[in-house]
Amino acid sequence: MSWDVIGTYAAAICLFIGAGFALVGVIGLLKFNDPMTRLHAPTKVGTVGIGAMLLGSMIYSFTIGQGSLHEALIMAFLFVTAPISANFIAKVNIHRRACDTPPLPPRDDTWATLNVPEADREHFEIEAK
């Protein structure tokens, strides 16, 4: 088997994976009810699905001898901007009170700190020895 055939099959596999993620993202976007649950499906399509399609395009362009790295720049841009835009959309929904508010953190001295409760100090001292 030549490298052309292997490259073509690899590109086709990447395109099928990308198309599968796109299909799942569309179904998730249509099926979920509120904006916070709808947010999850398109962000996966924007990163994994489009990334796989662009990788397939890169593989095929190198297979036919006209290599292009433009797709790598597009992937880098998508991987950086998709989580940021999803975070902004989630914050807008929280501030508009369009969704359930997240639960408050527990009210104790150990939440998000390095303080260890008295009951657990003996356990940590034993493991450290």
Side-chain angles (χ1 to χ4, degrees), residues 63-82:
T63 300
I64 62 173
Q66 299 174 353
S68 172
L69 294 177
H70 293 47
E71 292 90 347
L73 294 173
I74 295 169
M75 277 195 279
F77 179 75
L78 283 175
F79 289 161
V80 168
T81 58

Side-chain angles (χ1 to χ4, degrees), residues 25 28-47 81-94 99:
L29 188 63
L30 294 175
K31 184 174 171 83
F32 293 136
N33 295 330
D34 62 294
M36 291 299 275
T37 54
R38 281 186 177 178
L39 184 62
H40 183 71
T43 55
K44 296 303 169 211
V45 171
T47 54
T81 58
I84 295 169
S85 61
N87 187 18
F88 284 150
I89 292 170
K91 283 187 175 190
V92 166
N93 281 315
I94 290 172
C99 62

